[in-house]
Amino acid sequence: GNSVTQMEGPVTLSEEAFLTINCTYTATGYPSLFWYVQYPGEGLQLLLKATKADDKGSNKGFEATYRKETTSFHLEKGSVQVSDSAVYFCALSSNDYKLSFGAGTTVTVRA
Amino acid sequence: DGGITQSPKYLFRKEGQNVTLSCEQNLNHDAMYWYRQDPGQGLRLIYYSQIVNDFQKGDIAEGYSVSREKKESFPLTVTSAQKNPTAFYLCASSISYGGIISNTGELFFGEGSRLTVL
């Protein structure tokens, strides 16, 4: 079946540091890949997505590239801000209705 | 503004009681979902509905029930049969086309309801 594995947190960074959150997946067919973000006390929001191999999703300074050869979709940001403190979820959808989510990575950015 | 509204935001329940969590959307989406979020476990799908008057079990449906009498509404009842109901519950919706849920994967989430069993 489909599954997503993302790096465990929590991750604590200083402002302007480089952030990477690793995500790898197992899936049948040709999944679409997503990163969702959950700010404190809120629901999830779509951060970025990629629907086919070698696509790069980007939004708010975050980027992730769909790597079929390594079954990965790592999230990166070059210079984080305090406002980026949140929980980040990697997810995939395959040929049915379901989104499979990773366990989430808590990121805290200190001023 | 369009969106998803969940209520209540916080709910306390005594053991043995059923409780119902409300989810309303004005996005005109056909598909709606209920997820459960536990620390360190990500989101797990409880139930989903592709269209009015139809719904399907997700991965952890035991101890839960739903109804979909209106397009806008998808309430979740946590029954006394749910052994470990304390959790954060998230409702979501998405576009579907003729009952086939879009594979673009974008779900729109409510702000969640936190249920605590005393």
Side-chain angles (χ1 to χ4, degrees):
Chain A
N2 297 337
S3 67
V4 175
T5 302
Q6 60 182 103
M7 64 183 282
E8 292 185 15
V11 175
T12 303
L13 302 165
S14 297
E15 214 165 18
E16 299 183 5
F18 184 85
L19 171 67
T20 299
I21 304 176
N22 290 340
C23 172
T24 56
Y25 68 89
T26 302
T28 55
Y30 302 94
S32 296
L33 301 172
F34 311 87
W35 278 99
Y36 280 80
V37 59
Q38 183 178 31
Y39 298 105
E42 298 183 10
L44 278 70
Q45 305 172 22
L46 180 65
L47 180 60
L48 55 84
K49 67 181 182 185
T51 57
K52 61 183 187 296
D54 299 325
D55 269 2
K56 178 186 283 188
S58 61
N59 187 25
K60 298 182 181 180
F62 289 89
E63 292 184 340
T65 301
Y66 188 163
R67 302 282 188 205
K68 193 166 189 289
E69 63 277 12
T70 54
T71 62
S72 65
F73 192 55
H74 305 321
L75 182 69
E76 297 182 337
K77 185 172 185 181
S79 176
V80 293
Q81 305 300 313
V82 172
S83 57
D84 293 323
S85 298
V87 182
Y88 293 83
F89 292 91
C90 187
L92 71 83
S93 73
S94 190
N95 294 329
D96 56 19
Y97 63 90
K98 286 185 179 179
L99 272 187
S100 299
F101 287 88
T105 302
T106 300
V107 174
T108 302
V109 181
R110 299 176 303 195
Chain B
D1 287 355
I4 298 182
T5 302
Q6 290 187 239
S7 63
K9 195 165 176 125
Y10 298 96
L11 185 61
F12 298 90
R13 184 192 99 173
K14 292 182 181 178
E15 284 194 30
Q17 286 183 331
N18 292 355
V19 293
T20 297
L21 307 180
S22 169
C23 178
E24 303 278 331
Q25 55 101 356
N26 60 3
L27 299 168
N28 201 33
H29 286 169
D30 285 314
M32 296 187 75
Y33 311 78
W34 275 104
Y35 285 90
R36 172 180 170 140
Q37 184 178 13
D38 295 283
Q41 293 193 47
L43 276 69
R44 294 181 289 170
L45 183 64
I46 304 172
Y47 268 98
Y48 70 101
S49 169
Q50 295 175 309
I51 203 162
V52 173
N53 292 322
D54 181 66
F55 50 83
Q56 304 295 330
K57 292 182 179 180
D59 300 318
I60 56 164
E62 185 175 350
Y64 299 98
S65 65
V66 293
S67 63
R68 187 84 189 277
E69 296 175 2
K70 298 186 299 181
K71 186 176 185 176
E72 301 81 15
S73 178
F74 191 42
L76 173 74
T77 297
V78 184
T79 75
S80 57
Q82 169 48 234
K83 298 302 179 190
N84 185 22
T86 295
F88 190 54
Y89 291 89
L90 286 162
C91 180
S93 70
S94 70
I95 295 171
S96 71
Y97 303 96
I100 300 172
I101 292 176
S102 166
N103 194 36
T104 64
E106 181 162 10
L107 300 186
F108 294 80
F109 283 85
E111 294 193 346
S113 294
R114 187 167 297 281
L115 172 63
T116 302
V117 173
L118 304 173

